[in-house]
């Protein structure tokens, strides 16, 4: 979507770095070409791998992540970001030279420029669209219905992996506090989308266990995004002061609570405005105004804009326009969130996990530990469920395991903030992939009628 | 949609111009804030004015244009582009300082940066989305059915206003050749959307006249975009050589013809791929790959990427996925095309049309001439319709008058290329507004059963 006039307009500005390149004929055209080619490559690979994943019943987020790894510096070298290093694939540059008729130097510069300016920016739009739609899909009424049962599961599933992960990283592996906290935070996530899909597939979405899982996953999203907002603010200031942590936690919780409590006020304000309007574009535009207002408010009190995007989604998800809004934002999610996940994959330096190199072994051990903590923490959380009836607590725990796209948000933001080392970043991604792959399988087994686990649980 | 991480990542690059500002605390946050505020202002005004236009039966494109004029340097000063000059509204900067806690200098720089980088880039995405969906909505089968009848109308409606407009500007007003050609080209457009809506409202879409109007408008779009591609290439090279004009016209026509003729091949290739895929995101992503491939091909033979976007829309509009694609691209059109039209309005310097200043009078006379030629050319085109049955030729002519969004594409690109003077740019916009306002009225009158015009025509 990003070829065109923008490039030309940018170069009418007096940016010294670019002025030199600008005088070269064909630079504008090369940027347009690079954008068109890069976007087409991302989408083609995402379509092919997405199809393979869909056929095997795997979540499509894995397809996009794998697309990124394949296209990134580790394998094909078609998506190279300056922060992750490496050279762009020679064939790609040659193709760009051929199609736009420019020199190799111009083609290379144009390629770099569009990667930093347009592809990265699209990834960030994808992140916001993802958090807004996550909020939209998080049904607060469902949450309130199973609230008390789900609350202990969600709280245990956030506190246990976070504490365990952070402590193990600091005490055993000697990781510095802030990156350790960040990795710990990534362990708290639960991907509601992946679990809901598996539960639906096996017809257990409406079961007691299914409802507790979904309720806990929604609460988990809320807690996770609060944790993320707090951790990101810590990264920015670079200090871990008890007072500022308290302030951040309090303001993040207050922000979400105000959004949830004033939900009816905001929601009915939104509905009454839209009901009076006959312009078909108004719903989309007003939703964006809401999103912007919430993001600005979050930012004004020292939190992250993404927390505002999520809260706006939560509020609008309770109105009668929920379905329509999901439909309107879906194309943005298809396009921009694909780019977001692909860029996360592309920025992972897989070579740091090559076991043949001795220095890498610690990274691999860290990855294994994170996976173990990720699974253990959520399984224990399942047993924390409050219920008078006999329920399948193991299934609840398994249902909370997949980190999916929410875990990737942590990994992506951690890498972008520069706080995670390459090996810790790669270890988090491996943890996300492993939990996302293993959870649907475990969930199916634990729910299968004849399973020994199930029988044992129900008795 | 454009606050966030992008801004931060950009500043990790060594761009000297920005390095100074970067060191100032709060610059990143101020950019995020400026984007959020600017986008919210655009959408709120667009919603309010859009509602007013919808209530009065006026096309919403006028609302967005007026929003731009109101927000631009001419009135409120909330949307200021460096190319159009002027200072940003002091209150806006104060609000930005307040919400992000930065200094006035930082707030001002952040505001300028986001206007050039994000708002302008969004406008360009809007242009591509608009041309792609225009292609999608142009039904080639309809065109072929009324082709012979519509062809004379379309050709006359393109050739007559173009020639007359260009000649009058050069010979009478002494305008240079290239801007005169550009303004002439802007006179060729017909907005299919506006006319189709009016015809539908008065129940005449399926009448003979309605079908000829729609057929001619589609053909007019194709001819108009070919003319635009040729004119833009002329602007770039800055020369008007007969050989290069012939080459450009031939290649532009060939490009669209190849797309139309190979339409079945491309279309069934697209359909057979999508039919094999089960991933719900595949349709959107593959459509973008098609769009990108067409845009790159157009660019590779020296034409404009927008011609490729339009041709891709034409081809995919003939497949069974037309409706689904329109639905998927609609949110992009709502968001980005709104920004595109608003920025066109914001870039218009209305002060050049103030009749109190003597130097401005020529601009006003030019605007009046353009309006006269725009109406006259299309009315004559109506009488060029070939039909054995008695038809309402005046209604056909009136139906072709509104330039609407297509005329604005010309005005926007003309202003961006820097070839149009402020007064000529403003004159084109005035012409677009006038024709868009007057056409629905004339069309209703000419079709009204008891109208003298209609009786006269049918006899």
């Amino acid at each position: 979507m990003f070829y065109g006039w923008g490039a030309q307009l940018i170069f009418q500005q007096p940016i010294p770095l670019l002025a030199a390149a600008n005088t070269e004929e064909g630079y504008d055209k090369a940027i347009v070409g690079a954008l068109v080619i890069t976007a087409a490559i991302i989408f083609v690979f995402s379509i092919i791998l997405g199809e393979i994943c869909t056929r095997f019943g795997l979540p499509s987020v894995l397809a996009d992540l794998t697309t990124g790894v394949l296209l990134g510096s580790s394998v094909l070298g078609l998506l190279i970001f300056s922060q992750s290093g490496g050279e762009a694939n020679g064939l790609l540059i040659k193709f760009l030279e051929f199609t736009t008729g420019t020199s190799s130097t111009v083609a290379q510069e144009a390629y770099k420029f569009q990667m930093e300016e347009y592809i990265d920016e699209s990834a960030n739009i994808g992140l916001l669209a993802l958090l807004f739609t996550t909020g939209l899909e998080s049904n607060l009424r469902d949450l309130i219905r199973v609230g008390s049962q789900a609350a202990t599961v969600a709280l245990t599933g956030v506190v246990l992996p976070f504490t365990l992960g952070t402590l193990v990283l600091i005490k055993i592996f000697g990781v510095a506090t802030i990156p350790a906290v960040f990795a710990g935070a990534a362990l708290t996530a639960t991907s509601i989308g992946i679990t809901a899909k598996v539960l639906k597939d096996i017809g257990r979405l409406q079961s007691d266990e299914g409802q507790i899982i979904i309720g806990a996953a929604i609460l988990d999203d809320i807690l996770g995004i609060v944790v993320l907002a707090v951790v990101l603010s810590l990264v920015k200031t670079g200090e871990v002061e008890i007072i500022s942590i308290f302030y951040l936690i309090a303001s993040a919780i207050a922000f979400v609570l105000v959004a949830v409590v004033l939900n009816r006020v905001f929601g009915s304000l939104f509905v009454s405005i839209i009901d009076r309007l006959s312009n078909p574009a108004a719903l989309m535009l007003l939703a964006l105004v809401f999103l912007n207002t919430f993001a600005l408010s979050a930012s004004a009190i020292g939190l992250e804009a993404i927390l505002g995007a999520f809260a706006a989604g939560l509020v609008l998800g309770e109105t009668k326009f929920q379905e329509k809004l999901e439909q309107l934002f879906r194309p943005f999610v298809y396009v921009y969130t694909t780019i977001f996940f692909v860029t996360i994959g592309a920025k992972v330096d897989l070579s740091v996990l090559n076991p043949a190199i001795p220095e890498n072994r610690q990274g691999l051990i860290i990855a294994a530990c994170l996976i173990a903590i990720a699974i253990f923490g959520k399984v224990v959380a399942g047993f924390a469920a409050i219920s008078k009836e006999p329920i399948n607590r193991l299934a609840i725990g398994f249902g909370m395991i997949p980190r999916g796209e929410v875990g990737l948000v942590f990994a992506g933001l951690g890498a972008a903030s520069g706080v995670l080392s390459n090996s810790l970043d790669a270890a988090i991604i491996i943890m996300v992939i492993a939990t996302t792959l293993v959870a649907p399988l475990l969930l199916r087994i634990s729910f299968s009628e004849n399973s020994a686990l199930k029988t044992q649980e129900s008795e």
Side-chain angles (χ1 to χ4, degrees), chain A:
Chain A
M1 291 300 293
F2 285 84
Y3 22 84
W5 308 99
Q8 267 167 272
L9 294 171
I10 289 162
F11 291 110
Q12 289 172 1
Q13 290 179 258
I15 301 182
L17 179 76
L18 305 167
N22 188 18
T23 59
E24 290 237 37
E25 199 150 340
Y27 185 56
D28 290 3
K29 207 172 169 183
I31 289 180
V32 175
L35 285 166
V36 171
I37 295 168
T38 311
I41 290 172
I42 291 176
F43 295 150
V44 167
F45 273 76
S46 163
I47 291 170
I48 296 171
L49 294 177
E51 194 54 31
I52 296 171
C53 279
T54 310
R55 293 272 162 103
F56 284 95
L58 297 170
S60 63
V61 61
L62 287 179
D64 291 337
L65 204 56
T66 319
T67 299
V69 172
L70 266 181
L71 297 179
S73 57
S74 306
V75 189
L76 293 175
L78 296 171
L79 286 187
I80 302 291
F81 292 91
S82 62
Q83 60 178 100
S84 54
E87 279 293 309
N89 189 312
L91 270 177
L92 177 69
I93 301 298
K94 278 258 176 300
F95 183 67
L96 192 54
E97 286 175 52
F98 170 73
T99 47
T100 59
T102 49
S103 72
S104 170
T105 324
V106 171
Q108 246 152 6
E109 276 190 42
Y111 173 80
K112 270 184 205 158
F113 182 81
Q114 61 91 20
M115 284 301 289
E116 302 299 324
E117 291 287 325
Y118 300 102
I119 298 296
D120 235 7
E121 182 54 29
S122 307
N124 299 317
I125 296 174
L127 172 61
L128 284 161
L130 178 67
L131 282 164
F132 179 71
T133 48
T134 304
L136 268 187
E137 286 163 11
S138 303
N139 192 322
L140 285 178
R141 262 164 283 162
D142 283 359
L143 178 63
I144 291 160
R145 195 155 43 78
V146 292
S148 56
Q149 291 175 297
T152 50
V153 178
L155 268 176
T156 315
V158 165
V159 173
L160 191 63
F162 177 73
T163 324
L164 218 57
T166 309
L167 283 180
V168 164
L169 285 174
I170 295 175
K171 298 290 176 195
I172 300 182
F173 297 102
V175 174
T177 310
I178 286 186
V181 168
F182 212 105
L187 288 167
T188 63
T190 297
S191 165
I192 181 171
I194 291 164
T195 296
K197 196 172 172 312
V198 175
L199 287 172
K200 213 172 178 181
D201 285 353
I202 60 178
R204 295 290 184 140
L205 193 55
Q206 297 308 323
S207 69
D208 287 347
E209 291 85 358
Q211 289 300 301
I212 292 176
I213 294 174
I214 296 302
I218 294 171
L219 204 52
D220 212 349
D221 270 347
I222 298 176
L223 292 173
I225 289 168
V226 167
V227 170
L228 181 63
V230 171
V231 172
L232 276 173
S233 304
L234 289 182
V235 170
K236 268 193 195 155
T237 55
E239 291 168 12
V240 191
E241 277 177 27
I242 297 294
I243 295 174
S244 66
I245 294 177
F246 266 110
Y247 166 75
L248 284 169
I249 293 176
S251 58
I253 291 175
F255 188 83
V256 174
L257 274 186
V258 167
V260 169
V261 171
L262 290 186
N263 161 32
R264 274 166 203 276
V265 182
F266 289 129
S268 49
L269 177 70
F270 184 85
V271 168
S272 74
I273 294 175
I274 291 295
D275 278 345
R276 270 153 226 242
L277 300 178
S278 43
N279 182 356
L283 178 60
M284 182 79 193
L285 298 184
L286 193 64
L288 288 176
V289 172
F290 253 66
L291 207 169
N292 286 9
T293 311
F294 275 65
L296 191 65
S297 312
S299 173
I301 59 169
L303 296 166
E304 292 297 313
I306 50 166
L307 185 68
F310 177 75
L314 267 186
V315 169
L316 298 188
E318 298 305 299
T319 67
K320 65 175 176 183
F321 295 112
Q322 187 209 10
E323 236 171 275
K324 251 193 167 168
L325 285 170
E326 279 187 30
Q327 201 187 341
L328 284 168
F329 278 86
R330 200 167 296 140
F332 283 90
V333 172
Y334 285 157
V335 175
Y336 292 114
T337 309
T338 298
I339 297 178
F340 174 66
F341 291 139
V342 170
T343 55
I344 289 178
K347 284 176 183 170
V348 178
D349 182 7
L350 274 197
S351 66
V352 297
L353 293 181
N354 181 355
I357 301 163
E359 302 90 82
N360 290 347
R361 289 191 191 140
Q362 201 193 22
L364 286 168
I365 297 169
I366 290 179
C369 280
L370 289 184
I371 293 171
I373 294 169
I375 293 175
F376 173 76
K378 294 293 184 180
V379 169
V380 172
F383 283 95
I386 296 167
S387 172
K388 287 172 191 167
E389 307 289 311
I391 48 166
N392 190 337
R393 289 165 201 278
L394 200 58
I396 294 175
F398 287 163
M400 304 289 289
I401 288 175
R403 265 59 176 180
E405 67 281 359
V406 189
L408 288 183
V409 171
F410 281 84
L413 294 181
S417 70
V419 72
L420 297 177
S421 67
N422 278 353
S423 66
L424 194 52
D425 183 42
I428 292 175
I429 302 262
I430 297 289
M431 179 277 291
V432 171
I433 293 176
T435 54
T436 307
L437 276 175
V438 86
L441 199 72
L442 291 176
L443 201 56
R444 276 169 210 270
I445 293 172
S446 69
F447 263 128
S448 86
E449 218 64 57
N450 305 320
S451 152
L453 290 169
K454 159 82 188 176
T455 325
Q456 187 189 331
E457 278 303 303
S458 313
E459 273 164 12

